[in-house]
Amino acid sequence: MPDIAEEQSQQLQLVEREDIEDEEDLFEAIDKLIAHGINAGDVKKLQDAGIYTCNGLMMQTKKNLTGIKGLSEAKVDKICEAAEKIVNYGYITGSDALIKRKSVIRITTGSQALDELLGGGIETSAITETFGEFRSGKTQLAHTLCVTTQLPTSMRGGNGKVAYIDTEGTFRPDRIVPIAERFGMDASAVLDNIIYARAYTYEHQHNLLLGLAAKMAEEPFRLLIVDSVIALFRVDFTGRGELAERQQKLAQMLSRLIKIAEEFNIAVYLTNQVIADPAGGVFVTDPKKPAGGHVLAHASTIRLMFRKGKGEQRICKVFDAPNLPEAEAISFFFCFRS
């Protein structure tokens, strides 16, 4: 018995214990600018604005940077020049791009059938969006990923922590417990490695994203969940008169998500709602489409459509993906215990 307990203990200390010797640093800390002649006070201003890496700095426009209090155009030019010496954001060869792709981690969904459809699981450095009606499995997959992300990479996990932004009040920590037990993990340790925030407005949702950079620069995160991405935008903006502003704000938030995914090599998992499609016509059996329009469609790397099957069975269909076959449907099951 002591040997079994010891084996379990070693397995459960996932994020802290597993050594990844060959993995290179995925980002350069912003304080490295100091060694290139940038004032420490100016670096602090960048951090206060939510910029904690040189990679993240290079993803900002000069307009945004000059909007930071205390940073003039001359200072911004000097900062960007120093960052370019640290981070190469120019052209690379296709061979180098292929090598860079090898840093992508695929996190198991807990379902063999779904993993096979996704080519191994949810990808890091990408946005995976699922849409479907209520109780089609979107949030259940989010809860499952909270656990599987913490598995070691040798067990098809991400060996990292999870950030969960909840816009609809659907996160249930008690649902994490049976999922953790299914994978032989300590539920308390799993819950401790999840940081959770409840968002109440679209502005609050965006501000929560800005605060994540500091945490992700210091700790090994591998997954960001936003459940759901569109809910607060549909509440806070009403009518056609506010549609243009809504889509602009949504685009800004999605841009932030894309940058987080690539800057820290994390998987971003979004759930989305569906709306009736009046143009669906009488020949369409299920005239619904994902909310968010073209703005959300272009931001998502992989789009998955979920629908209910028989009993606890759920159907997943690849709606759009750059490297997966389209219109392929599969059946899978999730544990719906609460």
Side-chain angles (χ1 to χ4, degrees):
M1 288 297 291
D3 293 338
I4 296 174
E6 184 179 352
E7 183 180 343
Q8 288 180 333
S9 176
Q10 290 174 352
Q11 185 186 33
L12 297 176
Q13 295 175 5
L14 303 173
V15 176
E16 293 80 8
R17 297 289 184 183
E18 185 181 15
D19 296 322
I20 306 177
E21 297 176 358
D22 298 329
E23 185 175 336
E24 297 180 358
D25 290 337
L26 297 170
F27 52 83
E28 302 287 351
I30 198 73
D31 54 15
K32 288 189 177 182
L33 290 172
I34 297 173
H36 288 75
I38 304 302
N39 186 280
D42 291 337
V43 171
K44 179 66 166 58
K45 291 170 186 173
L46 291 170
Q47 291 174 328
D48 291 341
I51 303 170
Y52 282 81
T53 72
C54 294
N55 309 62
L57 174 67
M58 298 303 294
M59 294 177 181
Q60 301 287 330
T61 64
K62 288 190 177 181
K63 180 182 178 182
N64 288 341
L65 293 173
T66 53
I68 298 172
K69 188 176 180 181
L71 294 184
S72 63
E73 286 189 23
K75 281 187 176 182
V76 167
D77 287 340
K78 186 178 179 182
I79 288 170
C80 290
E81 186 179 335
E84 286 175 3
K85 295 177 181 177
I86 300 171
V87 182
N88 176 24
Y89 261 70
Y91 289 104
I92 61 174
T93 66
S95 297
D96 290 336
L98 181 61
I99 293 171
K100 191 174 180 180
R101 280 287 298 172
K102 289 181 180 179
S103 67
V104 170
I105 298 169
R106 287 177 173 81
I107 301 167
T108 178
T109 62
S111 162
Q112 183 178 350
L114 191 52
D115 283 350
E116 289 175 0
L117 181 68
L118 298 176
I122 302 293
E123 282 190 4
T124 58
S125 292
I127 292 180
T128 300
E129 172 204 347
T130 59
F131 65 91
E133 292 183 295
F134 173 76
R135 199 172 162 76
S136 58
K138 307 184 302 294
T139 298
Q140 182 63 22
L141 177 55
H143 283 73
T144 303
L145 288 170
C146 282
V147 177
T148 60
T149 297
Q150 299 182 44
L151 288 168
T153 52
S154 60
M155 296 176 67
R156 298 188 299 129
N159 191 48
K161 298 189 176 185
V162 179
Y164 198 120
I165 296 177
D166 182 2
T167 69
E168 297 182 285
T170 52
F171 178 72
R172 294 293 181 270
D174 47 300
R175 290 169 69 180
I176 298 293
V177 176
I179 301 171
E181 291 172 350
R182 171 190 164 193
F183 288 96
M185 300 170 71
D186 180 357
S188 296
V190 168
L191 287 167
D192 285 343
N193 283 327
I194 302 170
I195 62 169
Y196 167 83
R198 175 75 164 93
Y200 293 96
T201 67
Y202 82 92
E203 292 170 326
H204 185 197
Q205 184 176 341
H206 191 267
N207 289 338
L208 287 170
L209 291 176
L210 293 177
L212 272 180
K215 298 181 183 297
M216 290 183 173
E218 295 177 356
E219 298 182 272
F221 280 84
R222 273 293 175 264
L223 177 68
L224 166 60
I225 295 170
V226 184
D227 182 19
S228 84
V229 66
I230 196 69
L232 297 176
F233 287 88
R234 297 180 74 180
V235 171
D236 296 341
F237 296 92
T238 56
R240 290 187 175 274
E242 295 185 341
L243 182 60
E245 183 183 1
R246 186 195 86 166
Q247 292 303 89
Q248 183 184 41
K249 297 296 184 183
L250 178 61
Q252 290 172 353
M253 190 203 67
L254 291 168
S255 175
R256 179 64 184 166
L257 286 170
I258 293 168
K259 290 172 182 175
I260 288 174
E262 296 186 6
E263 181 179 354
F264 298 104
N265 190 30
I266 68 164
V268 174
Y269 174 79
L270 309 179
T271 69
N272 191 11
Q273 300 171 345
V274 291
I275 57 176
D277 184 6
V282 294
F283 299 106
V284 180
T285 56
D286 190 21
K288 297 182 183 68
K289 61 180 182 180
H294 295 298
V295 168
L296 186 49
H298 290 303
S300 299
T301 314
I302 299 168
R303 308 191 88 187
L304 304 175
M305 181 171 67
F306 280 15
R307 62 183 174 87
K308 301 172 189 176
K310 295 179 181 179
E312 298 299 319
Q313 190 182 67
R314 297 297 180 263
I315 312 297
C316 176
K317 183 177 181 180
V318 176
F319 195 76
D320 183 35
N323 60 340
L324 299 173
E326 292 185 21
E328 181 180 352
I330 62 159
S331 301
F332 62 96
F333 293 86
F334 278 131
C335 171
F336 282 87
R337 291 183 295 169
S338 59

